[in-house]
Amino acid sequence: MRRTGAAGALLLGGAVTVVAAGPAQAQEYRYWSFWDGSDRGSWTYATQGPATVRPADGAVEGFRFTVGADSAAAGRPRTAADFDALCRATPAKEGRKRIGLVIDFGTAADAPGGARPPKARTACAQVSEDASAGEALAAVARPLRYDSNALLCAIAGYPMSGCADQVGGADGAKEPGAPKGADGATAADGSTGAGDGGDGGPSAGLLGGVAAVVVLGGAAVRQARRRRG
């Protein structure tokens, strides 16, 4: 499965400085993570944002609402990256490409303020040949919500408010009502809010205590700038 795009571009207009920190200092955030599907049906944490990734026909991209401090702690989509299953009902069309999309709204443990996450959904977006992953998402999962830094805050209206919000204090204490999923606690559906590993993605210390991740991929740039300031 080929993907085209500006390799290594993490932000629209430039890269962001990422400060690594030890696990004891890592700050967790609640955000939309972005994943690339592989030919084997597995997921790899994306190293570009959906605004810069321009998938080829036959690609699969995934989004998962999660709580974590880095890619190793991010929950990955719980549906396989299977293009044939996602797009078998969508015939190929001249001048267009098909992108399989998996949108996982996360667990009740990851939800903000006791919200009930919608059921996961899949779609096959048929878009122009030069469309980005973000444009494919917009074609099938409106409304999308962004903050002033162009961070992806909500897909299909979820969550209703907030954007890459900090979970707990800098000392690691949880805020009242904060999700337990990042600690590995089991949610009502039997899954855990924490991810099960990096699967070849960026290292566990990538975001660290001042978390900053990919633009439009559900990052905490806004909070990171405040902490550095």
Side-chain angles (χ1 to χ4, degrees):
M1 191 183 305
R2 291 186 307 105
R3 295 187 308 103
T4 59
L10 295 183
L11 293 173
L12 294 175
V16 63
T17 300
V18 178
V19 179
Q25 300 174 345
Q27 175 61 62
E28 294 176 333
Y29 293 85
R30 183 181 288 113
Y31 69 103
W32 277 103
S33 59
F34 177 46
W35 301 80
D36 297 325
S38 76
D39 293 325
R40 301 182 307 277
S42 60
W43 297 103
T44 300
Y45 201 94
T47 57
Q48 300 181 55
T52 59
V53 171
R54 299 191 181 277
D57 181 78
V60 179
E61 306 294 343
F63 297 83
R64 166 76 185 265
F65 193 72
T66 187
V67 169
D70 50 48
S71 62
R76 69 190 64 195
R78 291 167 290 176
T79 300
D82 187 339
F83 177 78
D84 290 336
L86 297 172
C87 289
R88 67 164 57 100
T90 305
K93 185 180 294 186
E94 184 71 23
R96 309 281 285 178
K97 64 182 178 183
R98 295 169 298 164
I99 308 300
L101 292 168
V102 173
I103 304 167
D104 189 331
F105 295 89
T107 68
D110 292 339
R116 185 180 182 87
K119 291 182 179 180
R121 65 168 72 175
T122 61
C124 184
Q126 193 162 61
V127 291
S128 63
E129 292 180 323
D130 64 347
S132 68
E135 290 169 325
L137 179 66
V140 300
R142 291 181 182 275
L144 305 181
R145 177 167 57 84
Y146 300 93
D147 76 352
S148 60
N149 294 309
L151 299 180
L152 179 61
C153 305
I155 297 175
Y158 182 83
M160 293 182 64
S161 61
C163 191
D165 293 332
Q166 179 175 308
V167 177
D171 60 357
K174 297 290 183 181
E175 63 187 8
K180 298 178 181 178
D183 295 329
T186 301
D189 62 0
S191 63
T192 60
D196 55 355
D199 191 30
S203 64
L206 178 62
L207 304 185
V210 294
V213 291
V214 181
V215 152
L216 306 184
V221 171
R222 173 163 50 97
Q223 289 86 348
R225 288 174 177 169
R226 289 175 180 172
R227 288 172 67 86
R228 288 199 296 267

